[in-house]
Amino acid sequence: LLFTSGSTGTPKPVAVPHRALARHMAWMNRSFPLDAADAVLQKTPTGFDASVWEFQAPLMTGARLVLAPSGSHRAPETLGRLLDAHGITILQATPTLVDALAATDALARGRRLRRLFIGGEALGTPTIRAARAALPAGCAIVNLYGPTECCIDATAWVADDLPQELPQTGTAPLGAAIDGVHLMVLD
């Protein structure tokens, strides 16, 4: 059981079948492979869908899994120290957390980051600009979107496709469907 974010009121449990997780992790490992040199920071509370790949991806690939202290997903300074001390290469965060990390030196302390996955909320171009300014050169920013019912993510878009000068306002594209997902735009 995974829980929705509660954006419609109260978080609700969703039964996610094993085949959906297996499909998602196969897509993730093919699209964004990890290896033994990677370190993934697991900081998402375990009841939420985004925590699943934070655990599974490093365990499936031999990457290092670094467990953040409980509640640290709300503490930018703590996360900054963890990024630096453990040489984190893979981080996942909501746009709100990315903004908080970029507003301090916390995101800049992730000198070994090579991928920043952003999801859970609409990703605005100001957040991408702030992240780019703080992240090391070459760190990919990936916008992930998907309701819990889809098993974590339904679409992915790599922000490297945007020009260096982003519009002052606007929302990042959701991207293309991940393996096994079909998108339909209605009305």
Side-chain angles (χ1 to χ4, degrees):
L1 288 178
L2 298 173
F3 286 84
T4 63
S5 65
S7 59
T8 59
T10 304
K12 296 169 205 57
V14 174
V16 177
H18 181 266
R19 69 182 173 277
L21 177 59
R23 175 197 45 80
H24 183 276
M25 294 312 303
W27 165 80
M28 192 82 171
N29 287 335
R30 182 182 57 74
S31 300
F32 306 103
L34 303 179
D35 61 35
D38 283 307
V40 177
L41 183 62
Q42 196 295 310
K43 49 113 194 92
T44 303
T46 58
F48 291 100
D49 60 351
S51 72
V52 174
W53 82 256
E54 287 179 343
F55 282 112
Q56 294 294 319
L59 295 175
M60 292 174 69
T61 61
R64 216 166 13 106
L65 173 61
V66 178
L67 300 174
S70 179
S72 62
H73 65 286
R74 293 188 178 109
E77 297 300 327
T78 300
L79 291 176
R81 284 192 298 277
L82 291 168
L83 292 175
D84 186 32
H86 295 283
I88 301 300
T89 61
I90 309 296
L91 177 66
Q92 171 178 248
T94 63
T96 300
L97 181 56
V98 171
D99 289 337
L101 292 169
T104 67
D105 76 333
L107 196 55
R109 294 182 73 183
R111 290 180 271 283
R112 294 199 52 216
L113 281 172
R114 64 185 196 94
R115 285 195 199 111
L116 172 62
F117 293 100
I118 304 177
E121 305 163 6
L123 175 56
T125 56
T127 299
I128 296 172
R129 273 197 325 282
R132 270 194 182 155
L135 290 169
C139 180
I141 299 171
V142 182
N143 186 29
L144 297 175
Y145 165 78
T148 304
E149 294 83 355
C150 284
C151 187
I152 311 169
D153 305 309
T155 66
W157 177 75
V158 179
D160 298 349
D161 298 337
L162 280 181
Q164 289 299 319
E165 292 302 317
L166 297 172
Q168 291 300 311
T169 61
T171 304
L174 293 179
I178 70 167
D179 294 352
V181 172
H182 300 280
L183 302 176
M184 293 187 292
V185 178
L186 304 174
D187 294 334

